[in-house]
Every structure is written in C-alpha cells, then in structure tokens.
Amino acid sequence: MKELLIQAARRTGLVDAAQLSKFLEDNNSNGRIDEVLLNCPFFTEDMVLKLFAETLGWEYLPEIPARDVPVEFIESVPATYAQHHFLIGIKSHRHDGDNSDAADNEEDSSELTVVLSKPLDANALDNVSKMTGLPVKAAISTRAAITSVIDVAYEQRSTIIEEVAEELDSQNLDQLVDEVSTSDDLLDVVNRPPVIRLVNDILFRALQLRASDIHVHPYESKIQIRYRIDGILYDALSLNRNVLPLIISRIKVMAGMDIAERRLPQDGRCSVRLGQREVDLRISTVPTSFGERSVLRLLDKSTGIFTLDELGLMKDDLRKFDSLLNRSHGVIFVTGPTGSGKSTTLYACLNRINSAEKNVITIEDPIEYQLEGISQIQVASKKGMTFATSLRHVLRQDPDVIMVGEVRDIETARMAIQSSLTGHLVFSTLHTNDSAGAVSRLLDLGVEPYLVSSSLIAIIAQRLVRKVCPDCKVPVEPAMHELRELGLADEANKGKFFVGKGCDKCFQTGYRGRTGIYEMMMITQDVQNLIYARESAGTIKRHALNSGLQTLRMDGARKALAGITTIAEVLRVTQADIT
C-alpha cells in the first residue's frame, strides 16, 4: 500500500511524493497506514483522502446531499455507530429523470455506497453490509462532510433525549467523573453512561437549533430545558425531577467546578466539539428552592466574526461608520442593554481597522473571540487587574486604537476619555437605552462636561431584531395602528411587509437569524455645546432629531419596509420616539 500511495502521489501531484516517501520511511508506528497519514502534520485531511481515492480507484465526494441517504441505512445502522466510525450510506444508483419513489427504491436496494473518512476501515464496511443486508461499495469523504450529513439524516436524534432520560433512574453519580476530556466531542456517545449521552444530546440539539443559551430550570415536579434562539426563550424538553442532580453534576464536571458544593453559585467554562466544530461553553450554576439551576452560554467558534457589512447597517450608516474608523483620536461609545450585540459591533470595527498599520489593543472581560493581529487583554479583578489599571498600562504600549470592554465606573470613564485626548481612538460600551442617554450616564458617573464634550465623536445605540424566515415568508397587510406607531402611515404603499408562517427550519417561529438596528448620533459642535451646558438627554435627543438623527425605531421601520423584519418585532424592541 505504501508503494501504491507513493506512485499515486508521483502520478497526480496531490501531495509531495518525496515528502510522503520520507515520512513513511521514518514512521515507526504500527498503526494502520490511513490513520497514520491522517494524523501526519505535513498533509491536510483533504489531500490524504484524495490520494487514497486515487490509489484505490474510489470516488471522492467533497459534499454529500442528505437526501441521498436511504431509509434502509438510517433504520439499520444506529446513529451512534455512524458517528463513531464517521461513515454514512448513500444510494449507489440515482435516476434524476425518474420521479417514482418505488422505482428508485428497487434500484437502490441493489447496492449501497458507504462513504468513509478512514479509507482502510474494512471492518466497518463489512458491519454496515451485515446490518443492512445489502452489498456495499466504498467512497471517501472528509469527517466534516460526513458529520454534517449525519446530523441532518438522523433527525430522530431529538427523540433519543427522551429515551436516554428514562435510563437515568438507576444511574450512579460516581460514573459521572469517568471519561471527561478537556474538549469533549458531542458525537462521541458510544458506550457512554446515560447521563453523559443525555447532556451531549441536549447540547447537540441546541447547536442544531442555533441556540445561544441553554437553561436547566428546576421546578417542584419537573426539570424544564429551555433554549434561547434569536434572543427568545423556548421550552424544549421536560425531564423527570429525579435526574436533576445527575445533569447538574455532569455539567459541573465538564466545567471543572466542585460537584460537592451545592449551596453557593459557581462559574466555569469548557470546550466541546461537534465533529470539526469547536464550541466554547460559559457555565453558571446557582442554588434555588427546588435545586440547582444552570445556564450554559454557547460560543460557536466556527461562525467567525461578522464584518461591518454583515451587521445590517444601511448604506448611509455604513458610510458614517467608515468615516469614524478613519479618525485618529476620540471616543466612540456603543450602547444598549445586555445581549444587544454591542461586542459583535466592536469586533467588526476592530476587524475593519488595518492592524498591520495600527497597533490595536483590547481590554475585555471575558475575551469572547480571538482576533488576528490584535493584542487582547483579559481583566482579572481579583488580582487587581481592572479595566482602569489595564488601561493605564496599555497606554505605555504605544497603541493607536484601544477597545475597552465596558465603562463601569468613574475611573475607567476618565481614563478612556484622557486616552482619546492624548491621541488615541477609543471604543467602549455603556449600558444605556439610547444614544443621548450615554451622555447623561457619563456626567452622572462624575466625568466633567468639558472632558465629555471634547472627547466624544459618536454614540451608537443598537438593538437586535429577528429576521423573517426566508423559507416561509408571506406578504401581509399591516394594521393601520401599527403603521402609525412606526411612523409609516404615509409610506404604507412604498414597501412590502412580510411575516413568517413557521416551518421546520425556523423552529415554527417565522423568524430565522437576527440583524441590528442602529441609532448613530454624531457629536457635532452644537451637541458639544449642549453637553458642556449640562443639558438633559431629552434636550440633546430633540436637537439631534431636528438635525436628522435616525432613531432606533426609525431604522427598524426602514428594515420592516424593506421586508427584512416585521413591524411587531420592531415595536417589541424599541421605544416610542420623543416628540
């Protein structure tokens, strides 16, 4: 086999033949050659699998459509077996012109193609043939492609949760500590104790539904598992009250918490894998009258960081944003309540700034995503490393751009403003309802008006609204009172309004994904004078409105007119504007 692989490498150039030959000569491992090469640091999985496909004369599939997985395979081969061996069965014969299901099934039953991620796993091939009772032939694909099609094909995964929950009554707590790795794979559920399979399934289902948080909520007679999807909590599953200690203990073990301490709140974090996807979990437990309650925040690293163009900014706002990012000094505040996307906006801003030409440093609590070419500092308050002390030291690092995660006190506010006055561009966040409220907050903290007016260059308030599901959206005629509330009574005929009927892809909600709505208040000379005179937030907002400020509700109305979101959603997240 080694010689055949080297010949195929020379013939095709898929991998460097000399490097492959040297690696195979130097390798003293007794492992199977496909496993050895897949773990080789010199070649990617894709390169190795293409080489095996060429050598063995098998088909290489970059993608596998879920519709090609026959019912016989799903019914005969357990999901756990397919996940553990990273294999999936697809139809060998396809008839694109023939729409008869019966004809297809007759043809397809003659042979099954088993797509493998380990080309020489002959035992798995034989086992699938025995399970299905069909002759099989092999094809090759990557673990990621096979994992994603397993996720879709085995949709009955959700019913496994209930089955596993029934097994838990006899579960012993001592088993929980077994087999816990630093980065647990949710698909690796073979021979695991039932509680581990249950928690893995709850996490798996959350990732399938794009949930950002999982709530384990104990009641007097049951446990309610709830998922936050696009900012709204949904009840997903009810479990027997008796399994609460087991689930909480398993979650604590994953997060490295003390499983014996049940009377004090605890925080922890860990990583799990879903095939090739790495997901960070931030975990919190608190004691309640019915037992411990836990919330898990999911941070999917594979989604990456949004760019400014993907945030939902209208063209005029995007132009304003770009002009702000080119400023050499000043403070830009992003405001809004928790969960309104402030951190995502700040990351998008930093991503837009060229870190090759500028020294960019962030001070965060916690660091949510790693940014390439940027130095990120984690706040550690217990050790005296607060936002203010970190900022003091960062100024000695010759920065051009500084991002301060949050301004919580007078000291941090003063330091951020002083930093901008000494020639730095500073980004930060504040918890206020609108843009003008940020000025009042700074003055209330005790910052002098002359410092605020001379350093601020813009305040951006934002909220997140759910987008209409593209798969089930239908046009709708909104009620006149809704249009009046949004200020669209005169423009009702200028746009099309949509709502989602609800489908499987959007969890029957009619919404899928979220986008931002923004209120960008540029600090003009007039606004500076109002700040200096300590005018109220209402006065500043009225002046900004007269100067053309687009409020959160106005921006939401524009997006409802464009068919991106619904009127009900904009009314839900915004307040009526000052008149």
Side-chain angles (χ1 to χ4, degrees):
M1 178 54 75
K2 286 182 183 178
E3 196 51 49
L4 289 170
L5 287 166
I6 293 164
Q7 286 173 14
R10 287 196 185 111
R11 189 170 64 251
T12 61
L14 285 165
V15 301
D16 186 313
Q19 195 174 29
L20 175 67
S21 177
K22 186 170 188 327
F23 175 75
L24 292 173
E25 271 178 41
D26 296 346
N27 183 61
N28 299 319
S29 169
N30 295 322
R32 221 173 51 212
I33 192 167
D34 57 343
E35 292 179 336
V36 168
L37 281 177
L38 285 167
N39 291 321
C40 168
F42 308 129
F43 314 118
T44 64
E45 180 192 27
D46 203 43
M47 291 159 66
V48 170
L49 293 177
K50 282 179 179 171
L51 184 66
F52 270 100
E54 181 68 32
T55 305
L56 299 166
W58 293 350
E59 190 178 3
Y60 175 80
L61 304 171
E63 288 182 1
I64 310 160
R67 64 176 180 274
D68 286 353
V69 181
V71 177
E72 299 94 322
F73 181 85
I74 292 169
E75 288 176 350
S76 309
V77 179
T80 49
Y81 188 85
Q83 290 153 357
H84 190 65
H85 290 278
F86 291 98
L87 57 82
I88 192 76
I90 59 171
K91 302 166 189 173
S92 289
H93 304 289
R94 293 179 206 154
H95 294 270
D96 296 329
D98 189 353
N99 292 323
S100 162
D101 287 345
D104 272 356
N105 286 339
E106 265 180 52
E107 287 288 346
D108 292 341
S109 62
S110 63
E111 191 176 41
L112 182 74
T113 298
V114 178
V115 187
L116 302 163
S117 65
K118 293 178 183 174
L120 303 182
D121 197 351
N123 288 340
L125 213 56
D126 291 343
N127 288 340
V128 171
S129 182
K130 286 171 190 165
M131 289 178 202
T132 56
L134 296 171
V136 297
K137 70 173 188 178
I140 295 175
S141 187
T142 61
R143 281 173 60 141
I146 292 170
T147 297
S148 62
V149 81
I150 289 172
D151 296 352
V152 178
Y154 283 92
E155 280 180 354
Q156 73 261 35
R157 250 330 262 277
S158 56
T159 62
I160 294 174
I161 293 181
E162 283 87 345
E163 292 167 21
V164 174
E166 288 169 16
E167 292 180 47
L168 273 171
D169 289 339
S170 58
Q171 176 72 38
N172 188 328
L173 265 173
D174 295 339
Q175 287 177 269
L176 285 164
V177 191
D178 296 343
E179 301 180 67
V180 181
S181 63
T182 51
S183 189
D184 219 5
D185 192 336
L186 302 183
L187 296 172
D188 186 12
V189 293
V190 181
N191 300 325
R192 289 299 188 93
V195 70
I196 294 181
R197 282 162 42 214
L198 175 64
V199 173
N200 281 8
D201 273 318
I202 289 169
L203 285 163
F204 177 88
R205 186 90 180 115
L207 290 165
Q208 268 188 328
L209 294 168
R210 303 173 292 102
S212 61
D213 300 81
I214 303 168
H215 291 233
V216 181
H217 195 160
Y219 292 94
E220 191 171 6
S221 57
K222 65 174 182 179
I223 306 164
Q224 191 69 52
I225 307 293
R226 308 170 86 194
Y227 294 145
R228 189 177 292 282
I229 302 165
D230 293 334
I232 306 291
L233 269 174
Y234 298 97
D235 289 346
L237 180 70
S238 287
L239 297 173
N240 189 309
R241 178 84 182 70
N242 301 336
V243 302
L244 179 68
L246 301 165
I247 291 175
I248 296 294
S249 295
R250 169 62 187 158
I251 289 169
K252 284 181 175 179
V253 166
M254 288 172 70
M257 298 179 192
D258 180 0
I259 64 169
E261 181 54 77
R262 293 174 187 167
R263 294 168 299 173
L264 293 174
Q266 293 189 67
D267 293 313
R269 60 191 308 163
C270 66
S271 287
V272 294
R273 279 181 297 113
L274 178 61
Q276 301 297 306
R277 283 163 68 189
E278 188 86 17
V279 181
D280 274 350
L281 302 180
R282 290 217 300 271
I283 299 167
S284 167
T285 64
V286 293
T288 71
S289 53
F290 296 121
E292 284 184 284
R293 180 197 166 120
S294 184
V295 175
L296 296 83
R297 166 66 55 91
L298 308 175
L299 293 168
D300 189 347
K301 291 179 179 177
S302 66
T303 56
I305 293 158
F306 287 93
T307 63
L308 268 186
D309 306 316
E310 296 169 328
L311 295 181
L313 287 156
M314 292 298 202
K315 284 184 180 175
D316 53 336
D317 285 341
L318 195 54
R319 275 197 299 274
K320 285 183 194 169
F321 233 124
D322 269 333
S323 70
L324 290 173
L325 299 183
N326 290 325
R327 300 282 280 269
S328 61
H329 59 90
V331 181
I332 299 168
F333 277 112
V334 181
T335 78
T338 303
S340 58
K342 300 188 296 292
S343 298
T344 303
T345 300
L346 288 179
Y347 279 131
C349 292
L350 297 180
N351 227 10
R352 187 84 151 208
I353 292 167
N354 187 340
S355 58
E357 293 173 4
K358 292 185 176 175
N359 180 17
V360 183
I361 301 178
T362 74
I363 305 163
E364 302 173 60
D365 183 22
I367 297 169
E368 289 184 17
Y369 290 100
Q370 296 293 335
L371 290 163
E372 197 175 334
I374 288 173
S375 302
Q376 294 170 271
I377 297 168
Q378 169 75 56
V379 168
S381 301
K382 287 178 185 173
K383 296 177 182 175
M385 185 82 161
T386 62
F387 278 115
T389 54
S390 303
L391 192 46
R392 196 171 286 115
H393 291 291
V394 160
L395 289 171
R396 296 176 194 142
Q397 293 286 316
D398 183 32
D400 297 296
V401 180
I402 305 167
M403 191 264 268
V404 182
E406 190 184 335
V407 167
R408 296 173 184 167
D409 52 47
I410 173 75
E411 197 183 356
T412 312
R414 272 218 182 98
M415 283 294 300
I417 285 169
Q418 293 285 5
S419 306
S420 74
L421 295 174
T422 53
H424 305 94
L425 185 60
V426 180
F427 293 92
S428 192
T429 67
L430 272 173
H431 287 289
T432 60
N433 287 329
D434 63 1
S435 51
V439 175
S440 299
R441 174 61 54 85
L442 289 169
L443 297 177
D444 289 346
L445 281 173
V447 185
E448 292 77 3
Y450 73 89
L451 284 176
V452 177
S453 63
S454 57
S455 62
L456 272 184
I457 55 174
I459 303 168
I460 300 142
Q462 71 175 85
R463 297 288 186 282
L464 292 176
V465 289
R466 293 180 291 171
K467 293 195 288 188
V468 179
C469 175
D471 291 295
C472 64
K473 72 174 180 180
V474 289
V476 69
E477 199 69 45
M480 187 49 75
H481 72 88
E482 289 184 321
L483 290 169
R484 269 198 297 272
E485 265 196 272
L486 270 194
L488 291 176
D490 302 330
E491 300 181 52
N493 301 322
K494 292 185 183 175
K496 266 194 175 179
F497 298 93
F498 292 93
V499 294
K501 287 190 302 182
C503 62
D504 290 340
K505 289 192 175 175
C506 63
F507 199 39
Q508 303 302 329
T509 61
Y511 296 100
R512 197 158 103 229
R514 287 189 287 178
T515 190
I517 56 173
Y518 298 88
E519 176 179 302
M520 295 184 66
M521 188 166 86
M522 311 301 281
I523 307 300
T524 60
Q525 185 67 52
D526 291 339
V527 175
Q528 282 184 343
N529 294 337
L530 290 170
I531 296 169
Y532 191 71
R534 279 189 179 269
E535 293 288 354
S536 69
T539 306
I540 294 171
K541 183 100 177 242
R542 270 189 215 95
H543 176 84
L545 276 167
N546 294 335
S547 304
L549 173 74
Q550 284 278 337
T551 64
L552 287 166
R553 184 159 279 195
M554 290 174 187
D555 195 38
R558 289 196 290 176
K559 290 185 168 78
L561 261 176
I564 297 166
T565 186
T566 64
I567 290 178
E569 188 65 6
V570 176
L571 293 174
R572 179 179 72 84
V573 301
T574 61
Q575 297 173 338
D577 293 327
I578 300 168
T579 52

